[in-house]
Amino acid sequence: MMMVSNFTKLLLISCVLIGAAIMVGAQVIQPVGIQLTPWPEVVGTGPEHSCLALNPHLFTVSSSINSAILNVAIQRYQSTLFFPFGNGTQTPSGAWSLVITVNSGDTSLTLETDESYSLSVKTTNTITLTANTIYGAIRGLETLSQTIQWVQSANTYQICYLPISIIDAPRFPWRGFLIDTGRHYYPADFILHIIDTLGYNKFNVLHWHIVDAQSFGVESNTFPNLTMGAFNPVATYSHAEIQEIVAYAQSYGIRVVPEFDVPAHADAIGTAFPHLIANCPTYADDINSLLLNIANDYTYTFLNGLFTEMASLFPDHYFHTGGDEVHLDCWSEDPTIQAWMKQHKYTTVQAEQYFETQVTDMLLQVNKTKLVWNDPWTNGVKLAEGTVIEVWDNSEITQKIINEGFRALVSFAWYLDEQMPSGVSVGEFENTWQTFYKADPYNGIKKNQQNILGGEACMWSEQVNQMNFDTRVYPRALAAAERLWSPASITDINNAQPRFDQRSCDMKIRGVASSPLQPSFCLLPPNNGMVTKARMGPVHRLTQSEIKAILTA
């Protein structure tokens, strides 16, 4: 990874601002009209009326490297996302060239991946996009797409506010979004559609809460009977589908982190392996609260086999094992577990400690770092050094966790399934975006902020499936996307609302059923072509050769 010193970065930023000032008469223009989301780190623009036409047929792209991942991204934008209304009127004056320079062809995608880029759109019909990595270049392609406007009256495209100079980099390295296929099954094609939407908004982690008490929908070669716990025999994910999802996500610079939630939320596992479930009558009617039997040696044999198999499908270094909502008194009700705890002189917390230690060791054997919800830590479990803790509770707990040296993710601020996020009531459901926008991973954090990796927006799916997912998520999730990407100073709700409403329209044009925030009109392509094409599937499906190239790069 190529690092840029703070001095160099400040020098580059200063040059951009000075250049922008010279270009518009020695005055830095506040880019009120240009609509970019998430808002970049530094933006310099010319006047609103400085526009040039753009002809899709005369738009050329060249790159300094030949990368399967970047090539997919270029094709995706050049064929569809730059020009959603078709080719329009052909104007000879609309010839543009986009020159992409990438300093490294490294395709590895990790927490440390550099996503910075610089973008220059000049009055000479030339665009330069420079990045240290292919993933930075992909972020720049999305920003460029937002500068291209469709002019209905002229039946053509244009770029205004020329010249445009942008230097950009994310504020946080972990900008996640959780989907929950354990409560409602999402077809694999729809997950690809979700990945499209995450890429449009510069999220870089898909946290896949893939199974839960209600359904175990992942096919396993090691334990073929596991899908007995699925909603339906067709509501399952094959290994080939998982590989396509992982590759498709990587083509957007998005890591896929799976979550197999244990020891609670285990009822679906019990469909195939009933002897692995603790016998606790108090919770018999609450399937979310049924726990694995920690006194059964086969529980650990099963988990080791499952995690080893799933680790081979998900190449990311992080592996989420849940750990939330463990009602410890459930274990106290099971006579077998009572006897086991008495034999080892364990309290229920020590029993949970034993379980979490076994899980950590399993993941170390397959070179994975454990990610858990904050519940084990809250219960008093001593988690292994290096464990990442995702906090669904509050900032006070987050502060205590990072004070102990653990790295943390903030999720409690962005529960998209809630009408009253963080206990704040608003008049309209859509306006909860304002509460999300005011949230920040550093809110309430006084020290050790460096231990916060970022955060995640969570769309729990008890009442959401593929038919209403988009309208529940967008544009509300834009608040989390901008908070995790943009500088901390970008907090003006009045500035954000028109940008978010425009972004909502842009996504509708791309086939995302995003809701409006206020009365407006959104012009869609003729016959809603992209809407019907993309609504339930990917904008640009990968070929088998592209999937193979990405997974083996």
Side-chain angles (χ1 to χ4, degrees), residues 37 104 111 126 128 163 192 202 209 218 264 414 418 431 456 468 479 496 505 512 514 531:
T37 302
S104 169
L111 183 64
T126 57
T128 56
L192 300 182
K202 296 187 173 71
H209 186 87
V218 180
W414 298 300
E418 294 185 359
N431 283 342
E456 294 190 340
N468 66 341
C505 179
V512 184
S514 181
V531 175

Side-chain angles (χ1 to χ4, degrees), residues 177-237:
F177 191 98
L178 178 148
I179 63 170
D180 172 14
T181 59
R183 274 54 176 267
H184 273 102
Y185 169 76
Y186 298 160
D189 274 7
F190 187 72
I191 295 178
L192 300 182
H193 165 79
I194 292 173
I195 291 169
D196 282 327
T197 73
L198 301 183
Y200 299 159
N201 298 296
K202 296 187 173 71
F203 286 100
N204 70 345
V205 177
L206 173 65
H207 174 173
W208 191 356
H209 186 87
I210 196 166
V211 299
D212 210 287
Q214 290 78 8
S215 177
F216 197 105
V218 180
E219 293 181 4
S220 168
N221 294 331
T222 308
F223 305 104
N225 290 342
L226 266 176
T227 49
M228 291 172 56
F231 285 122
N232 187 283
V234 302
T236 60
Y237 302 103

Side-chain angles (χ1 to χ4, degrees), residues 21 82-83 98 105 140 163 203 230 287 313 322 334 342 344 376 378 388 413 429-430 455 458 525 528:
F82 284 157
F83 312 115
L98 167 61
F203 286 100
I287 62 172
L313 294 174
D334 187 312
K342 184 176 181 179
H344 292 280
T378 303
V388 176
F429 178 75
E430 296 305 325
C458 301
N528 292 353

Side-chain angles (χ1 to χ4, degrees), residues 72 75-77 79-81 186-200 241 244-249 251-252 470 507 509-512 529-544 546-547:
V72 165
Q75 181 182 356
R76 178 184 290 136
Y77 279 92
S79 65
T80 307
L81 301 181
Y186 298 160
D189 274 7
F190 187 72
I191 295 178
L192 300 182
H193 165 79
I194 292 173
I195 291 169
D196 282 327
T197 73
L198 301 183
Y200 299 159
E241 286 175 322
E244 181 179 13
I245 288 167
V246 169
Y248 196 77
S251 75
Y252 274 105
D470 284 0
M507 287 194 291
I509 291 170
R510 293 180 175 186
V512 184
M530 283 195 65
V531 175
T532 55
K533 177 182 178 182
R535 177 68 182 90
M536 292 300 175
V539 166
H540 169 78
R541 191 171 206 116
L542 300 179
T543 65
Q544 287 301 310
E546 287 171 334
I547 293 172

